């Protein structure tokens, strides 16, 4: 099967644009040129729009199995395809937890049946995410685990993390950490700062995150493990990670769109669509996160897409679960508020959503070149839309970005050379 993409615009590392045609044979890009004389069974006119490697998100929650009222593999991957993502990595806080071979095998079978895009599942570090008994890393890798995390909770004891890192290093895999010292959370529901005081709500100190990262980077140094930090949110965390990298420790880190674009002062009222963990922090933290992203301390952008049912989020800050959705809004929001405002180049944004996550986890995706897998996303840089939560393909409508106007809209997504999303058209799984 041959497909030729006509009238495409490719983004170069110089941030310049060039007009190209792209030949896809089966699931690979076999030729990129100004003109391709070959004949093909299928032609797609890109109409001058921007052609990118498929976006990669290494941190999402699909909720299935066990939380299908919030999201399913089918709805979550359709939302991802709409957002321009071709590969996503699903967190293990499901019921059952993928903490043994049978559970992971069952999950992978469901993914193969219903996912619209590529899904790489994490396995847990501890059984049932209980922080006590560690899982069998080798057997889970054999079953198809992407990496290992107890995301949603931090590993509370240094010994437990030390042993997990030693095991991961032996098996050449990655420990991915939600960093939060429960003894320093104090029942908080948003950042401990001026807004928690104004709303008279218990706050989460920044120290609860940074102190655990400081512990873990030393454990990573001692074990030689690749240690990846989830959703960094504080200036102290950025400093610790920067120092660890300078010391030659194998640590990588991600930042989420909402922490780049918002801070605690944006929270208008006791509205749980603004409740996530880690929380929106101070303006100084927000600025440090962007600086860290630009200087390479923070390697990549990941959405932490965390859907919940409307009735759960209606409970307010004190009772509602943590988390917001992000797959369908991430690229347009970041393009509109970082690229169009001159804070970073288009190439810098794309790199942090494609090449950088692929390189961090040694994935064979994230590039638009001859020989690469035919995962591509088409972006209409001029198209302007207003975000309306009721139009989301995700079951989760929990977003603080409702009614924001954005540009840079994904209009076509292909995985392995197959169209999985095209503007308002939904495609059956190939």
């Amino acid at each position: 099967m041959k497909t030729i993409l006509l009238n495409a615009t490719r983004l170069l590392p110089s941030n310049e644009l060039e007009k190209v045609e792209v030949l896809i044979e089966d699931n690979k890009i076999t030729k990129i040129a100004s003109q391709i004389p070959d004949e093909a069974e299928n032609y797609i006119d890109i109409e001058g729009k921007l052609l990118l490697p498929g976006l990669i998100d290494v941190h999402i929650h699909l909720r299935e199995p066990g939380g299908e009222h919030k999201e399913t593999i089918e709805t979550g991957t359709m939302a991802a395809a709409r957002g321009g993502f071709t590969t996503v990595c699903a967190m293990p806080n499901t019921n059952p937890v993928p903490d043994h071979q049978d559970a992971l095998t069952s999950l992978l079978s469901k993914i193969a049946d219903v996912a619209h895009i590529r899904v790489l599942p994490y396995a847990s570090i501890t059984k049932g995410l209980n922080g006590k008994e560690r899982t069998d890393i080798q057997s889970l890798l054999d079953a198809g685990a992407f990496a290992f995390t107890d995301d949603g909770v931090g590993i509370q004891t240094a010994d437990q993390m030390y042993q997990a890192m030693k095991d991961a290093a032996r098996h050449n895999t990655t420990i991915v950490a939600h960093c939060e010292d429960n003894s320093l959370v104090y029942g908080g529901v948003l950042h401990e700062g001026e807004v928690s005081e104004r709303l008279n709500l218990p706050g989460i100190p920044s120290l609860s995150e940074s102190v655990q990262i400081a512990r873990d980077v030393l454990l990573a140094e001692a074990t030689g493990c690749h240690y990846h930090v989830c959703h960094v949110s504080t200036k102290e965390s950025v400093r610790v990670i920067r120092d660890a990298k300078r010391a030659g420790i194998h640590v990588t880190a991600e930042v989420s769109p909402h922490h780049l674009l918002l801070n605690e002062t944006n929270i208008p009222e006791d509205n749980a669509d603004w409740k996530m963990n880690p929380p929106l922090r101070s303006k100084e933290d927000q600025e440090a996160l962007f600086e860290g992203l630009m200087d390479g301390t923070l390697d990549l952008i990941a959405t932490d897409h965390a859907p919940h049912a409307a009735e759960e989020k209606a409970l307010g800050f004190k009772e509602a679960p943590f988390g917001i959705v992000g797959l369908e809004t991430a690229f347009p929001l970041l393009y509109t508020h970082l690229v169009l405002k001159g804070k970073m180049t288009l190439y810098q944004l794309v790199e942090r959503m494609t090449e950088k996550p692929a390189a961090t986890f040694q994935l064979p995706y994230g590039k638009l070149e001859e020989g690469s897998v035919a995962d591509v996303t088409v972006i209409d840089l001029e198209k302007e839309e207003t975000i309306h939560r009721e139009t989301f393909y995700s079951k989760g409508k929990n977003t603080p970005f409702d009614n924001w106007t954005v540009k840079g809209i994904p209009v076509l997504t292909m995985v392995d050379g197959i169209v999985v999303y095209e503007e308002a058209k939904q495609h059956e799984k190939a």
Side-chain angles (χ1 to χ4, degrees), residues 17-208:
L17 301 174
E18 70 170 358
K19 299 296 183 183
V20 295
E21 294 183 354
V22 177
L23 173 63
I24 297 171
E25 297 186 74
D26 298 320
N27 71 331
K28 291 290 180 72
I29 294 173
T30 56
K31 187 181 293 186
I32 300 175
S34 57
Q35 284 190 312
I36 294 177
D38 303 48
E39 293 188 358
E41 292 90 341
N42 190 28
Y43 295 87
I44 300 176
D45 189 352
I46 304 302
E47 299 175 336
K49 299 180 181 70
L50 182 66
L51 184 70
L52 299 178
L55 306 182
I56 300 170
D57 192 343
V58 300
H59 189 145
I60 74 162
H61 299 268
L62 290 176
R63 305 300 188 201
E64 187 176 4
E68 289 85 352
H69 66 292
K70 301 172 187 277
E71 190 78 284
T72 65
I73 294 167
E74 196 280 330
T75 60
T77 57
M78 194 63 238
R82 185 190 185 195
F85 292 93
T86 55
T87 300
V88 295
C89 305
M91 289 296 173
N93 54 340
T94 53
N95 186 17
V97 174
D99 57 9
H100 59 283
Q101 276 196 335
D102 288 349
L104 184 56
T105 299
S106 175
L107 176 59
L108 284 164
S109 176
K110 182 71 172 181
I111 288 167
D113 286 343
V114 303
H116 291 272
I117 65 167
R118 186 179 298 105
V119 179
L120 307 177
Y122 287 94
S124 62
I125 296 171
T126 65
K127 293 184 178 179
L129 305 176
N130 64 16
K132 296 175 183 176
E133 185 179 358
R134 284 185 296 111
T135 57
D136 184 339
I137 282 182
Q138 182 62 67
S139 68
L140 287 163
L141 284 172
D142 290 344
F146 164 65
F148 293 82
T149 184
D150 274 11
D151 183 61
V153 288
I155 299 292
Q156 295 305 303
T157 71
D159 177 63
Q160 189 68 266
M161 183 59 97
Y162 181 52
Q163 299 301 331
M165 285 189 180
K166 285 202 296 184
D167 203 9
R170 279 194 297 269
H171 292 95
N172 194 31
T173 190
T174 304
I175 293 293
V176 175
H178 170 117
C179 293
E180 185 173 35
D181 186 322
N182 291 347
S183 70
L184 295 171
V185 173
Y186 307 122
V189 295
L190 75 170
H191 176 60
E192 182 182 68
E194 59 181 85
V195 178
S196 65
E197 290 184 13
R198 171 167 59 84
L199 297 177
N200 195 28
L201 291 168
I204 303 172
S206 293
L207 196 61
S208 64

Side-chain angles (χ1 to χ4, degrees), residues 256-314:
S256 298
H258 45 277
H259 289 119
L260 291 170
L261 300 180
L262 302 169
N263 62 65
E264 61 171 342
T265 64
N266 297 117
I267 300 172
E269 56 189 352
D270 185 354
N271 177 346
D273 283 336
W274 296 79
K275 181 181 181 181
M276 70 286 290
N277 193 16
L280 299 175
R281 305 263 187 205
S282 70
K283 191 174 191 301
E284 292 73 26
D285 290 310
Q286 180 189 12
E287 291 169 351
L289 294 172
F290 182 73
E291 180 183 349
L293 181 67
M294 295 306 290
D295 71 16
T297 301
L298 306 180
D299 299 82
L300 58 98
I301 296 169
T303 68
D304 192 12
H305 174 84
H308 293 290
E311 58 268 24
E312 295 169 327
K313 277 297 192 175

Side-chain angles (χ1 to χ4, degrees), residues 212-282:
Q212 200 164 86
I213 297 174
R215 176 200 77 180
D216 286 354
V217 295
L218 293 175
L219 296 175
E221 181 178 39
T223 60
C225 175
H226 174 204
Y227 169 64
H228 180 79
V229 187
C230 294
H231 43 49
V232 176
S233 73
T234 79
K235 59 183 183 293
E236 295 86 1
S237 299
V238 174
R239 186 178 74 225
V240 169
I241 295 165
R242 183 179 288 123
D243 289 345
K245 287 192 169 191
R246 286 173 177 163
I249 300 170
H250 191 184
V251 55
T252 55
E254 71 194 36
V255 62
S256 298
H258 45 277
H259 289 119
L260 291 170
L261 300 180
L262 302 169
N263 62 65
E264 61 171 342
T265 64
N266 297 117
I267 300 172
E269 56 189 352
D270 185 354
N271 177 346
D273 283 336
W274 296 79
K275 181 181 181 181
M276 70 286 290
N277 193 16
L280 299 175
R281 305 263 187 205
S282 70

Side-chain angles (χ1 to χ4, degrees), residues 398-409:
N398 45 305
T399 177
F401 298 110
D402 196 37
N403 292 316
W404 284 43
T405 298
V406 290
K407 281 189 169 184
I409 310 301

